[in-house]
């Protein structure tokens, strides 16, 4: 079932979760260990992130460096299939621009369709560590809006290569397309107005719903929704929540993402005596956020688990 269909049929707020593929060398049981306790809350769908390639530089005997491409977290498509098979829950694979030519993207979408996957979350993706800024792959999509258009084209039966099949034989796909939204603007956007302009372009290109980046101040989310509606963006907007779990995140999260952490939360975390105290402060703050979002009528609340289900379980249990 499509994400937007789950939303349309829901009679109360739903809870969804996002997981990471396990590191290379681990197995599917890592995923099941994360999800087993969370299935108590009947999530309508589970997001599975995609992590692009990385490069290692290995010194050879002659002193020259050899660049080696590696994938630390492979298996997004297979994990989605395993989740659907084990739990009977819809899986939402992330689809990114980085590392994919348009032909590779088309092939991935064909595979997803074979597996009965109805949803994709479309993202540009981050630059690899050796890049100062995002560099589009050769013959690939440079922006998320271009990737949305490619998925939408396949939904309309428009393939890249039409020579190998008669047009009448082309299957029509029917992917539900999600995109990212940024309540405090994207890190690279010059201002909020510019960010909203490009978000609207993604909706006009065919996106069906929005999932937001994490935020810690609900006022930022409510303001974001209001601004979206004033711009004519009418699709569902799903808030994304991640609890603080360590003191270092007070600096690392704002530096990696464009977000503000409320001073009240900062003060509570800074005066915490140990990691356990910080952990519980993060849970309580996320419970407060979630209750307010639920009471405001949020159709879905989406949780970034980072494959650590214990705190997420306690948060959702408190409001389920």
């Amino acid at each position: 079932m499509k994400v937007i269909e789950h939303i349309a049929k829901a009679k109360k707020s739903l809870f969804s979760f996002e997981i990471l593929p396990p590191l290379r060398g681990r197995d599917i049981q890592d995923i099941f260990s994360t999800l087993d306790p969370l299935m108590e809350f009947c999530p309508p769908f589970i997001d599975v992130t995609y992590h692009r390639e990385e490069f290692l530089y290995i010194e050879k005997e002659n002193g020259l460096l050899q660049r080696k491409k590696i994938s630390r977290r492979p298996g997004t498509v297979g994990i989605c299939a395993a989740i659907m098979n084990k739990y009977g829950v819809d899986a939402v694979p992330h689809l990114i621009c980085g590392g994919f030519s348009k032909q590779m993207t088309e092939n991935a979408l064909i595979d997803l369709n074979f597996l009965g996957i109805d949803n994709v979350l479309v993202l540009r993706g981050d630059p690899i560590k050796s890049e100062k800024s995002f560099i589009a792959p050769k013959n690939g999509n440079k922006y998320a809006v271009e990737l949305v258009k490619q998925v939408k084209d396949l939904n309309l039966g428009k393939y890249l290569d039409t020579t190998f099949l008669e047009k009448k034989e082309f299957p029509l796909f029917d992917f539900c397309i999600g995109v990212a939204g940024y309540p405090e603007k994207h890190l690279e956007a010059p201002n909020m107005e510019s960010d909203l302009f490009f978000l609207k372009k993604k909706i006009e290109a065919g996106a069906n719903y929005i999932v937001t980046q994490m935020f810690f101040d609900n006022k930022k989310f409510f303001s974001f929704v209001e601004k979206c509606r004033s711009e004519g963006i009418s699709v569902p907007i799903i808030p994304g929540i991640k609890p603080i779990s360590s003191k270092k995140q007070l600096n690392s999260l704002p530096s990696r993402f464009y977000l503000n952490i409320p001073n009240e939360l900062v003060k509570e975390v800074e005066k915490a005596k140990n990691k356990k105290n910080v952990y519980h402060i993060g849970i309580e703050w996320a419970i407060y956020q979630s209750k307010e979002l639920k009471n405001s009528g949020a159709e879905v609340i989406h949780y970034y688990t980072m494959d650590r289900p214990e705190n997420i379980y306690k948060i959702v249990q408190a409001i389920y």
Side-chain angles (χ1 to χ4, degrees), residues 39-71:
M39 298 311 295
E40 176 182 328
F41 308 116
C42 304
F45 57 90
I46 304 292
D47 274 46
V48 183
T49 63
Y50 184 89
H51 293 253
R52 62 178 299 185
E53 78 283 3
E54 297 180 26
F55 293 94
L56 292 178
Y57 290 87
I58 303 170
E59 187 173 354
K60 300 171 67 175
E61 291 183 2
N62 60 8
L64 298 177
L65 295 177
Q66 178 184 8
R67 192 168 85 152
K68 181 180 180 181
K69 183 167 72 172
I70 62 170
S71 178

Side-chain angles (χ1 to χ4, degrees), residues 7 16 61 84 89 95 100 116 120 123 125 127 133 138 155 164 194 196 199 202 219 249 263 272 278 284:
I7 292 173
S16 62
E61 291 183 2
M84 294 172 68
V89 170
L95 196 66
F100 283 82
V120 290
L123 307 160
S133 59
K138 185 178 180 181
N155 281 353
F164 68 101
S194 174
L196 287 170
L199 177 59
K202 291 189 283 188
K219 293 185 183 69
Q249 289 178 340
N263 198 42
V278 174
E284 290 303 315

Side-chain angles (χ1 to χ4, degrees), residues 52-309:
R52 62 178 299 185
E53 78 283 3
E54 297 180 26
F55 293 94
L56 292 178
Y57 290 87
I58 303 170
E59 187 173 354
K60 300 171 67 175
E61 291 183 2
N62 60 8
L64 298 177
L65 295 177
Q66 178 184 8
R67 192 168 85 152
K68 181 180 180 181
K69 183 167 72 172
I70 62 170
S71 178
R72 293 188 183 276
R73 293 184 182 271
T76 296
V77 174
I79 290 166
C80 286
I83 288 171
M84 294 172 68
N85 180 65
K86 180 175 174 64
Y87 300 111
V89 170
D90 284 302
V92 183
H94 289 194
L95 196 66
I96 66 173
C97 297
F100 283 82
S101 67
K102 290 182 180 180
Q103 188 61 61
M104 291 168 66
T105 296
E106 183 172 289
N107 292 342
L109 289 164
I110 291 170
D111 287 346
L112 294 174
N113 184 64
F114 282 154
L115 293 170
I117 293 173
D118 298 324
N119 304 281
V120 290
L121 185 72
V122 168
L123 307 160
R124 187 201 68 180
D126 297 324
I128 59 176
K129 292 179 181 179
S130 59
E131 297 173 351
K132 291 183 178 180
S133 59
F134 179 81
I135 299 174
K138 185 178 180 181
N139 301 318
N141 294 297
K142 186 175 182 180
Y143 301 108
V145 66
E146 296 175 354
L147 187 48
V148 170
K149 289 176 181 177
Q150 184 175 1
V151 179
K152 186 66 175 180
D153 279 348
L154 274 177
N155 281 353
L156 299 173
K158 298 178 182 178
Y159 285 67
L160 294 172
D161 183 2
T162 61
T163 60
F164 68 101
L165 284 174
E166 292 296 329
K167 198 167 186 179
K168 62 182 180 180
E169 296 180 40
F170 279 18
L172 296 180
F173 294 171
D174 194 21
F175 288 109
C176 177
I177 307 168
V179 293
Y182 302 87
E184 300 173 71
K185 91 171 184 63
H186 189 276
L187 180 65
E188 298 173 15
N191 54 54
M192 193 68 189
E193 290 71 24
S194 174
D195 205 28
L196 287 170
F197 174 82
F198 288 108
L199 177 59
K200 188 175 182 180
K201 290 291 184 184
K202 291 189 283 188
I203 304 305
E204 291 172 345
N208 304 108
Y209 69 97
I210 297 165
V211 181
T212 77
Q213 180 180 269
M214 73 183 81
F215 56 91
F216 295 93
D217 184 348
N218 285 354
K219 293 185 183 69
K220 301 290 186 182
F221 173 74
F222 296 138
S223 175
F224 173 70
V225 173
E226 186 177 338
K227 289 174 182 176
C228 285
R229 300 311 183 213
S230 68
E231 292 293 326
I233 298 172
S234 59
V235 301
I237 301 175
I238 300 172
I241 297 293
K242 179 190 182 305
I244 287 276
S245 58
S246 68
K247 283 190 177 183
K248 68 179 182 180
Q249 289 178 340
L250 294 179
N251 300 113
S252 64
L253 292 178
S255 66
R256 185 177 178 187
F257 308 96
Y258 191 89
L259 56 82
N260 290 279
I261 300 177
N263 198 42
E264 182 183 352
L265 176 56
V266 172
K267 286 181 177 179
E268 287 296 310
V269 171
E270 285 182 338
K271 72 181 182 182
K273 295 180 179 179
N274 52 51
K275 291 182 180 180
K276 186 176 181 180
N277 289 153
V278 174
Y279 182 80
H280 288 295
I281 290 167
I283 289 173
E284 290 303 315
W285 188 270
I287 289 173
Y288 156 76
Q289 281 191 271
S290 299
K291 284 182 176 179
E292 187 174 42
L293 291 166
K294 184 180 179 182
N295 292 337
S296 74
E299 297 161 314
V300 184
I301 305 176
H302 187 69
Y303 293 92
Y304 298 104
T305 71
M306 306 305 292
D307 293 345
R308 296 172 184 172

